[in-house]
Amino acid sequence: MIKKGIFGTIADKDVDFFILKNKSAIEAKVISYGAALVGLEVPDKNGSFADIILGYDDLNSYINDTCYHGSTVGRVANRIANAKFTLDGIEYKLAANNGPNHLHGGKTGFNKVIWNAQPFEEKECCGVVFKYRSPDGEQGYPGNLDVTVTYTLTDDNEIKIDYNAVTDKKTVVNLTNHSYFNLAGHNSGDIYSHKIQINSESITESDAFLIPTGKIIPVKDTPYDFTELKPMGRDIDKLDMGYDINYILNKALPMELSFAAKVYDPQSGRVMEILTSEPAIQFYTGNFLNGSTGKDDASYKKHNAFCLETQHYPDSPNHPEFPSVVLIPGEVYRHLTVHKFSVL
Ligand code: GLA
């Protein structure tokens, strides 16, 4: 079931919201600004519903947001060192919006534009197809890029995010979703007791600016080891800020949809499993949340949520040894991520 309405307006242009509802009464709310997931009501072990996605009640807050709440992120998610890369001998200079580096698509990334939205309803699912044409040269990237992001809520209690993109000029693409989760509810304080397992044995080492050094390091015997379910808070104090790191996922075949991560909140009993076709996942514990005001006047502080951003490795355009993010005309960029909800 889908309900549609107007979330707000920007320069006379309506930003729509869509509320998707499945047969277990799970509700997902998406908006056409940033093709963002702005709410997700799921039951706990006693059947009580809570909104487990951080975000805002109004459009203006999404326009001014600097945390990427719920947004689709692109053209290239994560960081690109010194905001530049070279393709076929041509150097492309990108918008620098994170010190000297490029972060999450630049100053006006895919999270800051209005997408065309088309809802659909089928027998066991419903969803919204978002489309956006990123023009040649936008934020410095070559080629017109036609992007489609489809959110589907299924009767199996899954949210599927399906991405594809085509270009008319060789370019780079790495899309993700930047939802902040707190399985106890968006306004429930820290996530230290949430347990997480990540299907990964190694991370890309990064420097002080969170740019990969190129070194791949095993997680064994480090605070980064989540090969077995472990509370997010157990080793977090051993790190400067918290977790903000790219995990390389175990895959039998590249691009196969496979298990990436599982999070369990013992208090509410809520479980979220993530499957993805992407080779990596950024685990981020909201280290830069600074008390800003969110939905229902919530105050979102450091470590009040976590993000699991399925993606290619950070700074891939400058690391030929990493899985490639290059897209050529005639090929289709594809990425599927599934979030499955249950209780224990
Ligand atoms: C990503 C990055 C973080 C931070 C957030 C946005 O998750 O890895 O370092 O930039 O986005 O605040």
Side-chain angles (χ1 to χ4, degrees), residues 67-68 79 103-104 178 180 210 244 282 284 288 309:
C67 300
Y68 305 85
R79 290 169 176 79
L103 174 66
H104 291 333
H178 208 297
Y180 289 75
L210 300 169
D244 193 355
Q282 182 89 8
Y284 172 57
F288 300 119
E309 305 155 54

Side-chain angles (χ1 to χ4, degrees), residues 43-46 182-185 188 190-197 229-234 262-272 306 342-344:
D44 68 4
K45 59 186 172 195
N46 303 314
N182 184 320
L183 298 186
S188 299
D190 69 67
I191 41 68
Y192 300 139
S193 60
H194 281 55
K195 292 182 178 172
I196 180 168
Q197 179 186 11
L229 268 187
K230 178 177 97 177
M232 292 185 186
R234 185 173 294 166
K262 177 179 183 170
V263 182
Y264 167 55
D265 170 36
Q267 218 183 312
S268 65
R270 293 192 182 92
V271 177
M272 176 172 74
F306 65 91
S342 56
V343 287
L344 255 185

Side-chain angles (χ1 to χ4, degrees), residues 80-223:
I80 297 181
N82 301 311
K84 60 181 185 190
F85 67 96
T86 303
L87 259 189
D88 291 343
I90 304 167
E91 185 179 272
Y92 294 97
K93 285 196 177 26
L94 304 171
N97 61 329
N98 192 240
N101 305 318
H102 177 86
L103 174 66
H104 291 333
K107 293 190 173 96
T108 313
F110 293 177
N111 58 315
K112 296 287 182 204
V113 298
I114 301 180
W115 295 59
N116 179 283
Q118 207 56 56
F120 65 90
E121 284 192 65
E122 283 165 22
K123 212 169 150 245
E124 281 156 11
C125 66
C126 61
V128 181
V129 181
F130 290 108
K131 286 183 190 286
Y132 174 64
R133 166 167 272 215
S134 169
D136 188 8
E138 189 177 44
Q139 301 296 301
Y141 290 107
N144 292 299
L145 188 76
D146 286 305
V147 190
T148 305
V149 178
T150 305
Y151 286 87
T152 307
L153 174 65
T154 72
D155 281 344
D156 286 334
N157 303 336
E158 300 160 321
I159 299 253
K160 295 186 179 175
I161 313 178
D162 208 319
Y163 307 78
N164 69 59
V166 289
T167 185
D168 59 5
K169 213 174 179 182
K170 198 171 191 174
T171 189
V172 283
V173 186
N174 185 19
L175 307 177
T176 194
N177 176 274
H178 208 297
S179 288
Y180 289 75
F181 297 90
N182 184 320
L183 298 186
H186 75 99
N187 190 8
S188 299
D190 69 67
I191 41 68
Y192 300 139
S193 60
H194 281 55
K195 292 182 178 172
I196 180 168
Q197 179 186 11
I198 304 178
N199 185 14
S200 165
E201 327 286 332
S202 53
I203 52 175
T204 47
E205 183 190 62
S206 56
D207 68 12
F209 295 97
L210 300 169
I211 301 283
T213 60
K215 221 171 133 188
I216 309 286
I217 46 179
V219 294
K220 200 173 179 327
D221 300 325
T222 76

Side-chain angles (χ1 to χ4, degrees), residues 21 23 35 37 45 59 105-106 113 120 140 178 186 212 239 242 251 263 273 293 305 314 329:
K21 194 170 180 171
K23 72 163 194 242
L37 181 62
K45 59 186 172 195
L59 179 59
V113 298
F120 65 90
H178 208 297
H186 75 99
L239 307 172
K251 291 256 167 206
V263 182
E273 277 166 285
T293 305

